[in-house]
Amino acid sequence: MKSVIVIGMNVDAGVGWLNVEHCSMLLKPPLSLNFRFSPQTSIFRARNSRNSRMAPPILSLALPSNTGRVLSIQSHTVQGYVGNKSAVFPLQLLGYDVDPINSVQFSNHTGYPTFKGQVLNGQQLWDLIEGLEGNDLLFYTHLLTGYIGSESFLNTVLQVVSKLRSTNPGLSYVCDPVMGDEGKLYVPQELVSVYREKVVPVASMLTPNQFEAELLTGFRIQSEGHGQEACRLLHAAGPSKVIITSINIDGILLLIGSHQKEKGEPPRQFKIVIPKIPAYFTGTGDLMTALLLGWSNKYPDNLEIAAELAVSSLQVFIFLMCAI
């Protein structure tokens, strides 16, 4: 069914009202629903739209504050679910407007004997950003990044962060520093220092696995306490929210979360014991980070609840996959 959006705004009153007669089937609203948005939203449109009469409306600017508009820069495969194919749809189900940029487009993930495809370079990424900017489409509430295969591309991502924050200073940058797992590095070695020295300081939330947290901190994680200390080291470098998504301690799989609401204050830390499922999956890390973005924005002051919801969503998905 075709979606039709009808918008009406009362700017004189200082508050805008969005009237949605019919929206996407994904969000499933009533046939008539009013969303309220702040005066700052209309100010943004007025100041930044050179062709305000011609520019298309951005629905997410008027959605409730616990959703938003996400730019997701990750890998893409034709077959299988990794990167953006794991992240975009779950975020849409949670009510977010998601724009994907595919850092690579491969026939299948690299765990197969062979793969073919294309790799986006830094200049091509910047061309896409300039195209969005030229049409006043560069307002995002969140930036999500996953697998990045080259130093030049990662440095361009840093420029994207600066550009997006010049448009929206409140942008939340959720970074999954995909570098390796179980002691094996699968990106060029030079990316480790770029992540450590440049990316971590500008991230709002960081979601490394155990091996990646060790690479970023230079700290060996061999216990729950070590995981908590690694989180504190990462807080000191920049992000207020850190979730080490998987730590294997004596055969027990843990998630360690940490939220430092104010610099200099001790963070609130927690753990979640994750039931192990005897099967192999790809793309679960990408899905996990997307779910953490989605739920943590809905529970901004309670990272523990957001992590519990993300883990339970992931476990249900995996259970259903095993049942098929």
Side-chain angles (χ1 to χ4, degrees), residues 179-228:
M179 293 181 287
D181 198 7
E182 297 180 346
K184 180 181 178 181
L185 193 69
Y186 42 68
V187 297
Q189 179 67 43
E190 56 266 24
L191 263 69
V192 177
S193 60
V194 178
Y195 271 113
R196 185 190 300 124
E197 297 167 12
K198 297 180 180 179
V199 178
V200 171
V202 300
S204 308
M205 178 191 289
L206 203 66
T207 63
N209 59 32
Q210 180 176 356
F211 177 60
E212 292 159 348
E214 291 174 341
L215 289 173
L216 292 173
T217 61
F219 185 78
R220 182 75 170 163
I221 300 174
Q222 296 177 307
S223 68
E224 179 185 336
H226 288 163
Q228 293 171 339

mmCIF file of all heavy atoms in Angstrom, residues 179-228:
data_model
loop_
_atom_site.group_PDB
_atom_site.id
_atom_site.type_symbol
_atom_site.label_atom_id
_atom_site.label_comp_id
_atom_site.label_asym_id
_atom_site.label_seq_id
_atom_site.Cartn_x
_atom_site.Cartn_y
_atom_site.Cartn_z
ATOM 1 N N MET A 179 37.299 -4.683 14.621
ATOM 2 C CA MET A 179 38.711 -4.891 14.284
ATOM 3 C C MET A 179 39.099 -6.364 14.287
ATOM 4 O O MET A 179 40.025 -6.768 13.581
ATOM 5 C CB MET A 179 39.607 -4.122 15.267
ATOM 6 C CG MET A 179 39.492 -2.610 15.160
ATOM 7 S SD MET A 179 40.587 -1.743 16.312
ATOM 8 C CE MET A 179 39.736 -2.055 17.868
ATOM 9 N N GLY A 180 38.412 -7.163 15.095
ATOM 10 C CA GLY A 180 38.774 -8.567 15.165
ATOM 11 C C GLY A 180 38.010 -9.260 16.274
ATOM 12 O O GLY A 180 37.146 -8.679 16.927
ATOM 13 N N ASP A 181 38.392 -10.523 16.521
ATOM 14 C CA ASP A 181 37.716 -11.304 17.560
ATOM 15 C C ASP A 181 38.575 -12.514 17.892
ATOM 16 O O ASP A 181 39.323 -13.016 17.044
ATOM 17 C CB ASP A 181 36.333 -11.751 17.069
ATOM 18 C CG ASP A 181 35.409 -12.174 18.197
ATOM 19 O OD1 ASP A 181 35.794 -11.992 19.368
ATOM 20 O OD2 ASP A 181 34.306 -12.667 17.914
ATOM 21 N N GLU A 182 38.495 -12.936 19.149
ATOM 22 C CA GLU A 182 39.179 -14.147 19.619
ATOM 23 C C GLU A 182 40.663 -14.129 19.263
ATOM 24 O O GLU A 182 41.231 -15.126 18.812
ATOM 25 C CB GLU A 182 38.497 -15.393 19.045
ATOM 26 C CG GLU A 182 37.052 -15.554 19.517
ATOM 27 C CD GLU A 182 36.377 -16.773 18.963
ATOM 28 O OE1 GLU A 182 36.923 -17.367 17.995
ATOM 29 O OE2 GLU A 182 35.304 -17.149 19.473
ATOM 30 N N GLY A 183 41.285 -12.964 19.453
ATOM 31 C CA GLY A 183 42.722 -12.822 19.243
ATOM 32 C C GLY A 183 43.160 -12.627 17.805
ATOM 33 O O GLY A 183 44.358 -12.490 17.524
ATOM 34 N N LYS A 184 42.214 -12.574 16.878
ATOM 35 C CA LYS A 184 42.555 -12.445 15.461
ATOM 36 C C LYS A 184 42.124 -11.083 14.945
ATOM 37 O O LYS A 184 40.963 -10.690 15.064
ATOM 38 C CB LYS A 184 41.871 -13.550 14.650
ATOM 39 C CG LYS A 184 42.184 -13.489 13.157
ATOM 40 C CD LYS A 184 41.461 -14.585 12.390
ATOM 41 C CE LYS A 184 41.733 -14.505 10.902
ATOM 42 N NZ LYS A 184 41.011 -15.543 10.129
ATOM 43 N N LEU A 185 43.080 -10.355 14.360
ATOM 44 C CA LEU A 185 42.809 -9.047 13.774
ATOM 45 C C LEU A 185 42.410 -9.227 12.312
ATOM 46 O O LEU A 185 43.106 -9.896 11.553
ATOM 47 C CB LEU A 185 44.065 -8.175 13.871
ATOM 48 C CG LEU A 185 43.929 -6.681 13.591
ATOM 49 C CD1 LEU A 185 43.144 -5.995 14.693
ATOM 50 C CD2 LEU A 185 45.317 -6.045 13.478
ATOM 51 N N TYR A 186 41.252 -8.653 11.908
ATOM 52 C CA TYR A 186 40.885 -8.771 10.496
ATOM 53 C C TYR A 186 40.674 -7.438 9.813
ATOM 54 O O TYR A 186 39.902 -7.317 8.860
ATOM 55 C CB TYR A 186 39.686 -9.693 10.283
ATOM 56 C CG TYR A 186 38.519 -9.585 11.236
ATOM 57 C CD1 TYR A 186 37.698 -8.453 11.253
ATOM 58 C CD2 TYR A 186 38.224 -10.634 12.087
ATOM 59 C CE1 TYR A 186 36.612 -8.386 12.103
ATOM 60 C CE2 TYR A 186 37.142 -10.572 12.947
ATOM 61 C CZ TYR A 186 36.336 -9.451 12.950
ATOM 62 O OH TYR A 186 35.260 -9.371 13.800
ATOM 63 N N VAL A 187 41.382 -6.420 10.300
ATOM 64 C CA VAL A 187 41.514 -5.140 9.598
ATOM 65 C C VAL A 187 42.999 -4.793 9.617
ATOM 66 O O VAL A 187 43.768 -5.365 10.404
ATOM 67 C CB VAL A 187 40.695 -4.017 10.281
ATOM 68 C CG1 VAL A 187 39.211 -4.340 10.247
ATOM 69 C CG2 VAL A 187 41.168 -3.776 11.702
ATOM 70 N N PRO A 188 43.447 -3.868 8.758
ATOM 71 C CA PRO A 188 44.860 -3.472 8.788
ATOM 72 C C PRO A 188 45.279 -2.958 10.168
ATOM 73 O O PRO A 188 44.508 -2.283 10.848
ATOM 74 C CB PRO A 188 44.928 -2.362 7.735
ATOM 75 C CG PRO A 188 43.799 -2.656 6.798
ATOM 76 C CD PRO A 188 42.702 -3.226 7.644
ATOM 77 N N GLN A 189 46.503 -3.260 10.571
ATOM 78 C CA GLN A 189 47.002 -2.905 11.896
ATOM 79 C C GLN A 189 46.911 -1.411 12.178
ATOM 80 O O GLN A 189 46.634 -0.988 13.316
ATOM 81 C CB GLN A 189 48.462 -3.363 12.027
ATOM 82 C CG GLN A 189 49.114 -3.033 13.359
ATOM 83 C CD GLN A 189 48.518 -3.800 14.516
ATOM 84 O OE1 GLN A 189 48.263 -5.002 14.403
ATOM 85 N NE2 GLN A 189 48.282 -3.131 15.638
ATOM 86 N N GLU A 190 47.096 -0.585 11.142
ATOM 87 C CA GLU A 190 47.098 0.868 11.362
ATOM 88 C C GLU A 190 45.736 1.404 11.812
ATOM 89 O O GLU A 190 45.654 2.503 12.373
ATOM 90 C CB GLU A 190 47.549 1.610 10.100
ATOM 91 C CG GLU A 190 46.749 1.317 8.846
ATOM 92 C CD GLU A 190 47.349 0.210 7.991
ATOM 93 O OE1 GLU A 190 48.092 -0.637 8.551
ATOM 94 O OE2 GLU A 190 47.085 0.197 6.773
ATOM 95 N N LEU A 191 44.660 0.654 11.594
ATOM 96 C CA LEU A 191 43.347 1.117 12.038
ATOM 97 C C LEU A 191 43.225 1.127 13.560
ATOM 98 O O LEU A 191 42.450 1.915 14.121
ATOM 99 C CB LEU A 191 42.238 0.245 11.441
ATOM 100 C CG LEU A 191 41.577 0.806 10.160
ATOM 101 C CD1 LEU A 191 42.563 0.772 9.006
ATOM 102 C CD2 LEU A 191 40.322 0.029 9.825
ATOM 103 N N VAL A 192 43.988 0.272 14.237
ATOM 104 C CA VAL A 192 43.891 0.190 15.695
ATOM 105 C C VAL A 192 44.243 1.532 16.329
ATOM 106 O O VAL A 192 43.526 2.036 17.201
ATOM 107 C CB VAL A 192 44.807 -0.925 16.239
ATOM 108 C CG1 VAL A 192 44.754 -0.951 17.768
ATOM 109 C CG2 VAL A 192 44.405 -2.280 15.669
ATOM 110 N N SER A 193 45.330 2.148 15.884
ATOM 111 C CA SER A 193 45.743 3.432 16.461
ATOM 112 C C SER A 193 44.776 4.547 16.085
ATOM 113 O O SER A 193 44.547 5.471 16.876
ATOM 114 C CB SER A 193 47.168 3.788 16.013
ATOM 115 O OG SER A 193 47.245 3.890 14.596
ATOM 116 N N VAL A 194 44.186 4.485 14.884
ATOM 117 C CA VAL A 194 43.205 5.512 14.492
ATOM 118 C C VAL A 194 41.975 5.417 15.391
ATOM 119 O O VAL A 194 41.465 6.433 15.873
ATOM 120 C CB VAL A 194 42.806 5.372 13.007
ATOM 121 C CG1 VAL A 194 41.748 6.403 12.630
ATOM 122 C CG2 VAL A 194 44.027 5.533 12.114
ATOM 123 N N TYR A 195 41.511 4.192 15.616
ATOM 124 C CA TYR A 195 40.375 4.022 16.528
ATOM 125 C C TYR A 195 40.727 4.533 17.926
ATOM 126 O O TYR A 195 39.962 5.279 18.548
ATOM 127 C CB TYR A 195 39.973 2.546 16.620
ATOM 128 C CG TYR A 195 38.964 2.110 15.583
ATOM 129 C CD1 TYR A 195 39.300 1.213 14.574
ATOM 130 C CD2 TYR A 195 37.652 2.576 15.626
ATOM 131 C CE1 TYR A 195 38.369 0.786 13.630
ATOM 132 C CE2 TYR A 195 36.717 2.164 14.687
ATOM 133 C CZ TYR A 195 37.075 1.280 13.695
ATOM 134 O OH TYR A 195 36.156 0.883 12.757
ATOM 135 N N ARG A 196 41.889 4.124 18.428
ATOM 136 C CA ARG A 196 42.264 4.460 19.794
ATOM 137 C C ARG A 196 42.463 5.965 19.986
ATOM 138 O O ARG A 196 41.990 6.543 20.975
ATOM 139 C CB ARG A 196 43.552 3.718 20.172
ATOM 140 C CG ARG A 196 43.970 3.917 21.629
ATOM 141 C CD ARG A 196 45.361 3.368 21.889
ATOM 142 N NE ARG A 196 45.445 1.950 21.602
ATOM 143 C CZ ARG A 196 46.315 1.400 20.751
ATOM 144 N NH1 ARG A 196 47.169 2.175 20.099
ATOM 145 N NH2 ARG A 196 46.341 0.108 20.554
ATOM 146 N N GLU A 197 43.130 6.606 19.042
ATOM 147 C CA GLU A 197 43.542 7.998 19.232
ATOM 148 C C GLU A 197 42.544 9.016 18.697
ATOM 149 O O GLU A 197 42.479 10.145 19.194
ATOM 150 C CB GLU A 197 44.906 8.214 18.556
ATOM 151 C CG GLU A 197 46.020 7.372 19.157
ATOM 152 C CD GLU A 197 47.275 7.362 18.302
ATOM 153 O OE1 GLU A 197 47.358 8.192 17.363
ATOM 154 O OE2 GLU A 197 48.166 6.512 18.552
ATOM 155 N N LYS A 198 41.744 8.634 17.693
ATOM 156 C CA LYS A 198 40.882 9.613 17.045
ATOM 157 C C LYS A 198 39.386 9.301 17.164
ATOM 158 O O LYS A 198 38.579 10.208 17.341
ATOM 159 C CB LYS A 198 41.246 9.733 15.563
ATOM 160 C CG LYS A 198 42.655 10.234 15.298
ATOM 161 C CD LYS A 198 42.928 10.327 13.795
ATOM 162 C CE LYS A 198 44.329 10.830 13.505
ATOM 163 N NZ LYS A 198 44.597 10.906 12.043
ATOM 164 N N VAL A 199 39.024 8.032 17.038
ATOM 165 C CA VAL A 199 37.605 7.675 16.996
ATOM 166 C C VAL A 199 37.004 7.598 18.403
ATOM 167 O O VAL A 199 35.951 8.186 18.664
ATOM 168 C CB VAL A 199 37.389 6.344 16.248
ATOM 169 C CG1 VAL A 199 35.913 5.963 16.258
ATOM 170 C CG2 VAL A 199 37.892 6.464 14.809
ATOM 171 N N VAL A 200 37.666 6.887 19.302
ATOM 172 C CA VAL A 200 37.144 6.736 20.660
ATOM 173 C C VAL A 200 36.853 8.089 21.315
ATOM 174 O O VAL A 200 35.801 8.259 21.945
ATOM 175 C CB VAL A 200 38.105 5.885 21.519
ATOM 176 C CG1 VAL A 200 37.685 5.912 22.985
ATOM 177 C CG2 VAL A 200 38.137 4.444 21.014
ATOM 178 N N PRO A 201 37.718 9.104 21.184
ATOM 179 C CA PRO A 201 37.441 10.388 21.843
ATOM 180 C C PRO A 201 36.176 11.103 21.366
ATOM 181 O O PRO A 201 35.625 11.924 22.104
ATOM 182 C CB PRO A 201 38.687 11.229 21.509
ATOM 183 C CG PRO A 201 39.776 10.228 21.325
ATOM 184 C CD PRO A 201 39.099 9.069 20.636
ATOM 185 N N VAL A 202 35.692 10.804 20.155
ATOM 186 C CA VAL A 202 34.504 11.505 19.649
ATOM 187 C C VAL A 202 33.246 10.645 19.713
ATOM 188 O O VAL A 202 32.160 11.107 19.371
ATOM 189 C CB VAL A 202 34.719 12.012 18.201
ATOM 190 C CG1 VAL A 202 35.894 12.974 18.137
ATOM 191 C CG2 VAL A 202 34.911 10.858 17.220
ATOM 192 N N ALA A 203 33.368 9.392 20.157
ATOM 193 C CA ALA A 203 32.215 8.491 20.229
ATOM 194 C C ALA A 203 31.369 8.799 21.456
ATOM 195 O O ALA A 203 31.881 9.171 22.512
ATOM 196 C CB ALA A 203 32.674 7.040 20.256
ATOM 197 N N SER A 204 30.054 8.633 21.300
ATOM 198 C CA SER A 204 29.124 8.761 22.433
ATOM 199 C C SER A 204 28.931 7.421 23.119
ATOM 200 O O SER A 204 28.826 7.345 24.344
ATOM 201 C CB SER A 204 27.767 9.269 21.932
ATOM 202 O OG SER A 204 27.898 10.435 21.161
ATOM 203 N N MET A 205 28.852 6.364 22.322
ATOM 204 C CA MET A 205 28.738 4.994 22.839
ATOM 205 C C MET A 205 29.692 4.107 22.063
ATOM 206 O O MET A 205 29.795 4.221 20.842
ATOM 207 C CB MET A 205 27.310 4.453 22.713
ATOM 208 C CG MET A 205 27.166 3.009 23.204
ATOM 209 S SD MET A 205 25.579 2.247 22.787
ATOM 210 C CE MET A 205 24.502 3.154 23.870
ATOM 211 N N LEU A 206 30.370 3.224 22.782
ATOM 212 C CA LEU A 206 31.331 2.311 22.183
ATOM 213 C C LEU A 206 30.905 0.885 22.509
ATOM 214 O O LEU A 206 30.550 0.587 23.663
ATOM 215 C CB LEU A 206 32.725 2.597 22.745
ATOM 216 C CG LEU A 206 33.942 2.169 21.928
ATOM 217 C CD1 LEU A 206 34.022 2.967 20.624
ATOM 218 C CD2 LEU A 206 35.224 2.388 22.744
ATOM 219 N N THR A 207 30.945 -0.012 21.493
ATOM 220 C CA THR A 207 30.477 -1.390 21.713
ATOM 221 C C THR A 207 31.509 -2.417 21.230
ATOM 222 O O THR A 207 31.229 -3.208 20.329
ATOM 223 C CB THR A 207 29.130 -1.630 20.997
ATOM 224 O OG1 THR A 207 29.326 -1.477 19.576
ATOM 225 C CG2 THR A 207 28.068 -0.655 21.477
ATOM 226 N N PRO A 208 32.692 -2.450 21.825
ATOM 227 C CA PRO A 208 33.692 -3.436 21.400
ATOM 228 C C PRO A 208 33.404 -4.814 21.975
ATOM 229 O O PRO A 208 32.690 -4.957 22.979
ATOM 230 C CB PRO A 208 34.984 -2.868 22.016
ATOM 231 C CG PRO A 208 34.523 -2.182 23.271
ATOM 232 C CD PRO A 208 33.179 -1.597 22.919
ATOM 233 N N ASN A 209 33.969 -5.841 21.364
ATOM 234 C CA ASN A 209 33.988 -7.147 22.004
ATOM 235 C C ASN A 209 35.240 -7.208 22.892
ATOM 236 O O ASN A 209 35.978 -6.230 23.028
ATOM 237 C CB ASN A 209 33.940 -8.277 20.966
ATOM 238 C CG ASN A 209 35.113 -8.239 19.981
ATOM 239 O OD1 ASN A 209 36.230 -7.831 20.326
ATOM 240 N ND2 ASN A 209 34.878 -8.669 18.749
ATOM 241 N N GLN A 210 35.474 -8.348 23.500
ATOM 242 C CA GLN A 210 36.581 -8.479 24.452
ATOM 243 C C GLN A 210 37.922 -8.160 23.801
ATOM 244 O O GLN A 210 38.727 -7.370 24.328
ATOM 245 C CB GLN A 210 36.607 -9.893 25.034
ATOM 246 C CG GLN A 210 37.719 -10.147 26.039
ATOM 247 C CD GLN A 210 37.621 -11.539 26.660
ATOM 248 O OE1 GLN A 210 36.679 -12.288 26.394
ATOM 249 N NE2 GLN A 210 38.585 -11.898 27.493
ATOM 250 N N PHE A 211 38.188 -8.755 22.647
ATOM 251 C CA PHE A 211 39.466 -8.552 21.953
ATOM 252 C C PHE A 211 39.646 -7.093 21.551
ATOM 253 O O PHE A 211 40.731 -6.513 21.714
ATOM 254 C CB PHE A 211 39.517 -9.466 20.724
ATOM 255 C CG PHE A 211 40.754 -9.303 19.884
ATOM 256 C CD1 PHE A 211 42.010 -9.531 20.408
ATOM 257 C CD2 PHE A 211 40.653 -8.934 18.547
ATOM 258 C CE1 PHE A 211 43.152 -9.391 19.628
ATOM 259 C CE2 PHE A 211 41.779 -8.788 17.763
ATOM 260 C CZ PHE A 211 43.037 -9.026 18.299
ATOM 261 N N GLU A 212 38.587 -6.466 21.061
ATOM 262 C CA GLU A 212 38.664 -5.063 20.628
ATOM 263 C C GLU A 212 38.872 -4.128 21.811
ATOM 264 O O GLU A 212 39.626 -3.143 21.716
ATOM 265 C CB GLU A 212 37.401 -4.697 19.851
ATOM 266 C CG GLU A 212 37.307 -5.413 18.510
ATOM 267 C CD GLU A 212 35.905 -5.499 17.949
ATOM 268 O OE1 GLU A 212 34.933 -5.214 18.687
ATOM 269 O OE2 GLU A 212 35.765 -5.894 16.771
ATOM 270 N N ALA A 213 38.232 -4.431 22.947
ATOM 271 C CA ALA A 213 38.446 -3.620 24.152
ATOM 272 C C ALA A 213 39.894 -3.716 24.613
ATOM 273 O O ALA A 213 40.491 -2.720 25.067
ATOM 274 C CB ALA A 213 37.498 -4.069 25.259
ATOM 275 N N GLU A 214 40.474 -4.897 24.488
ATOM 276 C CA GLU A 214 41.886 -5.062 24.847
ATOM 277 C C GLU A 214 42.791 -4.274 23.908
ATOM 278 O O GLU A 214 43.771 -3.642 24.348
ATOM 279 C CB GLU A 214 42.251 -6.548 24.826
ATOM 280 C CG GLU A 214 41.593 -7.361 25.937
ATOM 281 C CD GLU A 214 41.857 -8.844 25.824
ATOM 282 O OE1 GLU A 214 42.232 -9.312 24.716
ATOM 283 O OE2 GLU A 214 41.698 -9.548 26.838
ATOM 284 N N LEU A 215 42.481 -4.280 22.623
ATOM 285 C CA LEU A 215 43.275 -3.512 21.665
ATOM 286 C C LEU A 215 43.207 -2.013 21.955
ATOM 287 O O LEU A 215 44.209 -1.295 21.851
ATOM 288 C CB LEU A 215 42.782 -3.770 20.236
ATOM 289 C CG LEU A 215 43.073 -5.141 19.623
ATOM 290 C CD1 LEU A 215 42.373 -5.269 18.272
ATOM 291 C CD2 LEU A 215 44.569 -5.352 19.458
ATOM 292 N N LEU A 216 42.025 -1.531 22.318
ATOM 293 C CA LEU A 216 41.832 -0.093 22.527
ATOM 294 C C LEU A 216 42.447 0.397 23.834
ATOM 295 O O LEU A 216 42.848 1.561 23.934
ATOM 296 C CB LEU A 216 40.336 0.242 22.502
ATOM 297 C CG LEU A 216 39.631 0.075 21.154
ATOM 298 C CD1 LEU A 216 38.127 0.267 21.319
ATOM 299 C CD2 LEU A 216 40.184 1.047 20.119
ATOM 300 N N THR A 217 42.517 -0.470 24.831
ATOM 301 C CA THR A 217 43.013 -0.052 26.143
ATOM 302 C C THR A 217 44.426 -0.541 26.445
ATOM 303 O O THR A 217 45.093 0.000 27.342
ATOM 304 C CB THR A 217 42.087 -0.568 27.263
ATOM 305 O OG1 THR A 217 42.061 -2.007 27.228
ATOM 306 C CG2 THR A 217 40.674 -0.025 27.082
ATOM 307 N N GLY A 218 44.883 -1.567 25.725
ATOM 308 C CA GLY A 218 46.165 -2.180 26.060
ATOM 309 C C GLY A 218 46.100 -2.947 27.365
ATOM 310 O O GLY A 218 47.129 -3.209 28.008
ATOM 311 N N PHE A 219 44.887 -3.319 27.770
ATOM 312 C CA PHE A 219 44.640 -3.940 29.075
ATOM 313 C C PHE A 219 44.068 -5.333 28.864
ATOM 314 O O PHE A 219 43.070 -5.502 28.158
ATOM 315 C CB PHE A 219 43.659 -3.064 29.867
ATOM 316 C CG PHE A 219 43.407 -3.507 31.274
ATOM 317 C CD1 PHE A 219 44.332 -3.252 32.274
ATOM 318 C CD2 PHE A 219 42.238 -4.176 31.600
ATOM 319 C CE1 PHE A 219 44.095 -3.658 33.582
ATOM 320 C CE2 PHE A 219 41.984 -4.584 32.908
ATOM 321 C CZ PHE A 219 42.926 -4.329 33.899
ATOM 322 N N ARG A 220 44.698 -6.321 29.444
ATOM 323 C CA ARG A 220 44.255 -7.705 29.292
ATOM 324 C C ARG A 220 43.023 -7.975 30.156
ATOM 325 O O ARG A 220 43.022 -7.694 31.355
ATOM 326 C CB ARG A 220 45.386 -8.647 29.698
ATOM 327 C CG ARG A 220 45.071 -10.108 29.548
ATOM 328 C CD ARG A 220 45.106 -10.552 28.118
ATOM 329 N NE ARG A 220 45.026 -12.005 28.004
ATOM 330 C CZ ARG A 220 44.721 -12.643 26.889
ATOM 331 N NH1 ARG A 220 44.472 -11.944 25.790
ATOM 332 N NH2 ARG A 220 44.686 -13.950 26.846
ATOM 333 N N ILE A 221 41.959 -8.498 29.544
ATOM 334 C CA ILE A 221 40.714 -8.767 30.262
ATOM 335 C C ILE A 221 40.616 -10.254 30.549
ATOM 336 O O ILE A 221 40.442 -11.068 29.638
ATOM 337 C CB ILE A 221 39.496 -8.295 29.444
ATOM 338 C CG1 ILE A 221 39.588 -6.792 29.172
ATOM 339 C CG2 ILE A 221 38.200 -8.635 30.173
ATOM 340 C CD1 ILE A 221 38.511 -6.268 28.244
ATOM 341 N N GLN A 222 40.722 -10.607 31.851
ATOM 342 C CA GLN A 222 40.667 -12.009 32.252
ATOM 343 C C GLN A 222 39.638 -12.264 33.343
ATOM 344 O O GLN A 222 39.545 -13.379 33.850
ATOM 345 C CB GLN A 222 42.051 -12.464 32.729
ATOM 346 C CG GLN A 222 43.107 -12.422 31.633
ATOM 347 C CD GLN A 222 44.481 -12.813 32.130
ATOM 348 O OE1 GLN A 222 44.979 -12.250 33.103
ATOM 349 N NE2 GLN A 222 45.088 -13.795 31.466
ATOM 350 N N SER A 223 38.871 -11.224 33.699
ATOM 351 C CA SER A 223 37.858 -11.381 34.734
ATOM 352 C C SER A 223 36.804 -10.293 34.561
ATOM 353 O O SER A 223 36.978 -9.350 33.777
ATOM 354 C CB SER A 223 38.483 -11.273 36.130
ATOM 355 O OG SER A 223 38.943 -9.944 36.362
ATOM 356 N N GLU A 224 35.712 -10.437 35.301
ATOM 357 C CA GLU A 224 34.673 -9.411 35.283
ATOM 358 C C GLU A 224 35.231 -8.059 35.728
ATOM 359 O O GLU A 224 34.935 -7.017 35.135
ATOM 360 C CB GLU A 224 33.522 -9.832 36.189
ATOM 361 C CG GLU A 224 32.388 -8.831 36.269
ATOM 362 C CD GLU A 224 31.336 -9.241 37.282
ATOM 363 O OE1 GLU A 224 31.235 -10.450 37.583
ATOM 364 O OE2 GLU A 224 30.607 -8.349 37.775
ATOM 365 N N GLY A 225 36.063 -8.072 36.762
ATOM 366 C CA GLY A 225 36.670 -6.838 37.240
ATOM 367 C C GLY A 225 37.552 -6.183 36.202
ATOM 368 O O GLY A 225 37.588 -4.944 36.077
ATOM 369 N N HIS A 226 38.281 -7.002 35.453
ATOM 370 C CA HIS A 226 39.110 -6.459 34.371
ATOM 371 C C HIS A 226 38.236 -5.783 33.313
ATOM 372 O O HIS A 226 38.600 -4.741 32.769
ATOM 373 C CB HIS A 226 39.918 -7.575 33.720
ATOM 374 C CG HIS A 226 41.018 -8.090 34.578
ATOM 375 N ND1 HIS A 226 41.646 -9.298 34.339
ATOM 376 C CD2 HIS A 226 41.610 -7.591 35.697
ATOM 377 C CE1 HIS A 226 42.571 -9.513 35.251
ATOM 378 N NE2 HIS A 226 42.559 -8.482 36.084
ATOM 379 N N GLY A 227 37.085 -6.373 33.016
ATOM 380 C CA GLY A 227 36.165 -5.770 32.057
ATOM 381 C C GLY A 227 35.663 -4.423 32.529
ATOM 382 O O GLY A 227 35.572 -3.461 31.755
ATOM 383 N N GLN A 228 35.350 -4.317 33.811
ATOM 384 C CA GLN A 228 34.890 -3.046 34.371
ATOM 385 C C GLN A 228 36.002 -2.002 34.311
ATOM 386 O O GLN A 228 35.741 -0.827 34.015
ATOM 387 C CB GLN A 228 34.420 -3.264 35.805
ATOM 388 C CG GLN A 228 33.165 -4.119 35.911
ATOM 389 C CD GLN A 228 32.830 -4.498 37.334
ATOM 390 O OE1 GLN A 228 33.698 -4.471 38.224
ATOM 391 N NE2 GLN A 228 31.571 -4.850 37.587
#
